[in-house]
Amino acid sequence: MPELPEVETIRSQLAPRLTGRALVSVEILDPRLTRPIDLFEVAEELEGDTIAAVERRGKYLVLRMESGLALLVHLRMTGSFGFEPTSHERAVLGLDDGTRLAYRDVRRFGTWLVLENTEVEPYLAGKNGPEPLGPRFTTDWLVARLSGRRAPVKAVLLDQRVAAGVGNIYADEALWRARVNPLMPAESLDPDEVRRLRRAVRAALRTGIERQGSTLSDYRTPEGSRGGMQEEFKVYGRDGLPCRHCGTTIAKTRVGGRGTWYCPRCQPHGAG
DNA sequence: AAGATCGCCTGCAGGC
DNA sequence: TGCCTGCAGGCGATCT
């Protein structure tokens, strides 16, 4: 599932191919993509406009148009972009250099939203907290966000207003790196654990970006290649396998309805 | 009011 | 072989 590293990889591969290109055709094939806005209305708004920049905010991909409009794409679970025709295409962009860019989304959770320039920042700021790789994601910030929260620390970490772009995979990977049990009440972490967690989130995301994301089944980069991060997984999806640090069998549980993997020895419940 | 649960979607794995 | 069930999970809506 596309999280920050996957979306950043997509952004970095799309940017050189899209920047400065005009959209000569915009075909939206699934009304769910732009719901509740009519798909023809969205297509008409974009058609003829030129892409000024391709940016990312949290898990959002942001196509800034020269007109001042912006297209906000959220890939949710299975959204992806590609230059080769494929199955499950939900939208197709035609560029003025002849490029055909398809948006693929098997499970149809992804969304496309067109906003005016002035609406973009307030919208994104309402959904997203600081970029975890940016200067605002400090230990003090994380301490403040975890305090008073009795929910499992993993549930809080998945809140996009706490750390924009962290999803299920990188949350588990970060908690393992920080040696923090995902079920610990967020408010129970001591300052050193929070400091480790901040570092671990950043390290896990950086590794994910370096490896161009993780490919489990659907995710591909726009150039069509698989990510390599799945080879780096320390805990995600590894129940029954030995912990890469201590050899203890990785356990699986559920937190907030999501599959959650951890090492019972490296990430004990109760003490850090 | 924070926290838990549900619904949206589709493909695939596993059981019989 | 083919049907059925469960599972994957981001996020908004809904309930407690």
Side-chain angles (χ1 to χ4, degrees):
Chain A
M1 49 252 47
E3 305 181 23
L4 187 154
E6 288 76 23
V7 181
E8 178 58 27
T9 301
I10 291 166
R11 186 210 64 75
S12 70
Q13 290 194 7
L14 288 182
R17 303 275 298 254
L18 268 55
T19 305
R21 297 265 69 86
L23 294 172
V24 295
S25 65
V26 177
E27 288 179 274
I28 297 172
L29 308 168
D30 180 5
R32 200 184 200 289
L33 190 57
T34 57
R35 213 170 60 178
I37 309 300
D38 186 273
L39 62 88
F40 294 107
E41 188 180 320
V42 173
E44 194 175 44
E45 279 185 313
L46 295 172
E47 226 167 67
D49 213 336
T50 296
I51 300 164
V54 184
E55 302 171 357
R56 180 194 58 75
R57 179 77 172 91
K59 297 175 191 170
Y60 287 85
L61 195 64
V62 182
L63 269 61
R64 302 268 184 186
M65 312 303 295
E66 286 189 353
S67 68
L69 294 179
L71 171 63
L72 274 58
V73 177
H74 198 304
L75 305 167
R76 286 299 205 281
M77 301 296 296
T78 53
S80 66
F81 283 94
F83 296 105
E84 298 296 327
T86 182
S87 64
H88 304 90
E89 291 184 350
R90 309 301 184 193
V92 179
L93 301 179
L95 309 186
D96 60 355
D97 63 352
T99 297
R100 178 184 189 276
L101 176 64
Y103 171 75
R104 177 178 198 254
D105 190 350
V106 171
R107 287 165 66 183
R108 304 170 63 208
F109 282 161
T111 55
W112 281 23
L113 175 66
V114 173
L115 293 179
E116 307 269 350
N117 226 344
T118 55
E119 302 170 315
V120 173
E121 297 318 320
Y123 181 88
L124 290 173
K127 306 280 186 187
N128 298 293
E131 287 290 321
L133 296 177
R136 286 172 53 217
F137 186 64
T138 60
T139 300
D140 283 350
W141 164 267
L142 198 51
V143 165
R145 302 313 307 217
L146 299 184
S147 74
R149 301 289 301 272
R150 277 172 294 174
V153 59
K154 177 177 173 183
V156 178
L157 207 49
L158 288 173
D159 183 341
Q160 299 301 291
R161 293 165 301 178
V162 172
V166 175
N168 201 42
I169 291 173
Y170 293 90
D172 278 8
E173 294 298 305
L175 286 161
W176 181 87
R177 287 170 185 250
R179 307 191 304 280
V180 171
N181 187 289
L183 288 159
M184 293 281 286
E187 64 183 1
S188 74
L189 269 63
D190 66 40
D192 189 59
E193 288 173 321
V194 178
R195 184 174 144 275
R196 296 203 310 261
L197 185 56
R198 170 186 174 274
R199 284 193 175 181
V201 166
R202 291 161 62 91
L205 293 173
R206 282 210 177 99
T207 305
I209 292 170
E210 281 169 20
R211 301 301 298 262
Q212 299 195 102
S214 34
T215 295
L216 298 176
S217 56
D218 292 282
Y219 169 78
R220 293 292 185 284
T221 75
E223 302 295 349
S225 65
R226 299 166 64 90
M229 182 62 185
Q230 65 280 0
E231 293 156 24
E232 303 272 349
F233 285 169
K234 310 296 188 187
V235 285
Y236 184 87
R238 299 192 72 244
D239 48 310
L241 297 172
C243 172
R244 295 196 197 279
H245 177 69
C246 74
T248 300
T249 302
I250 299 299
K252 183 182 181 186
T253 182
R254 290 191 86 78
V255 176
R258 296 175 181 96
T260 298
W261 291 266
Y262 66 101
C263 172
R265 182 166 172 185
C266 295
Q267 300 166 267
H269 196 287

